[in-house]
Amino acid sequence: VQLVESGGGLVQPGGSLRLSCVTSGFTFSSYYMNWVRQAPGKGLEWVSTIYSDGRSTYYRDSVKGRFTISRDNAKNTVFLQMNSLKSEDTALYYCATGEYTGSFRYFGYWGRGTQVTVSS
C-alpha cells in the first residue's frame, strides 16, 4: 500500500495550492479519503473527508469555503484545492483512508505528507 502526497510548497497569504495524493495497493474506490494536517508543535487536525463515490464531502469550519476536496477513482487519486491560504494553514498535510468520527482510530492507511507553508 502506498499513498504519496505532492503539491505542497511555499505560498504567500491569499495564494492557492493544489495537493494530490496518488495511491496504490488497495481498492481506492471503496474507501473514504481524508486530508489531515499537523502544524509545527501541534497535534493532528482533521481537514476534510470525501466519501468513496465522491458525492459527499465534509470540511472543518476553518477551511469551509476555501478548500475543496475531490477524487478521481479512475486514477486512484484524491485532491485538495486550497484557496485564500492563511498563515494558520501552515502544516504538514497527510492523506489517509478511513472514517473520521472525532478521532483517527478508524484511519488505516497514511501517506508521509507534503509541507505547506504560508508566509510573506
Side-chain angles (χ1 to χ4, degrees):
V1 171
Q2 284 194 314
L3 293 81
V4 181
E5 301 94 338
S6 63
L10 174 64
V11 62
Q12 292 187 341
S16 298
L17 285 173
R18 189 190 194 211
L19 306 185
S20 299
C21 174
V22 179
T23 74
S24 61
F26 63 100
T27 308
F28 178 79
S29 60
S30 297
Y31 283 76
Y32 292 4
M33 293 299 299
N34 305 271
W35 287 96
V36 177
R37 67 188 181 186
Q38 186 168 27
K42 297 191 176 181
L44 294 173
E45 182 176 82
W46 170 78
V47 175
S48 182
T49 297
I50 185 167
Y51 280 9
S52 55
D53 61 4
R55 293 182 180 179
S56 296
T57 58
Y58 300 90
Y59 302 90
R60 69 179 299 105
D61 286 347
S62 62
V63 307
K64 283 181 183 176
R66 301 189 297 122
F67 290 11
T68 303
I69 191 171
S70 61
R71 65 191 296 161
D72 184 338
N73 285 349
K75 295 184 178 180
N76 296 336
T77 303
V78 61
F79 305 96
L80 186 67
Q81 177 67 44
M82 305 187 296
N83 299 329
S84 302
L85 282 160
K86 304 176 181 180
S87 59
E88 51 262 44
D89 295 318
T90 294
L92 186 61
Y93 282 72
Y94 300 93
C95 65
T97 65
E99 182 177 6
Y100 184 67
T101 59
S103 73
F104 300 104
R105 69 170 66 185
Y106 298 114
F107 279 33
Y109 306 132
W110 292 76
R112 293 190 174 186
T114 185
Q115 179 66 40
V116 172
T117 302
V118 184
S119 175
S120 55

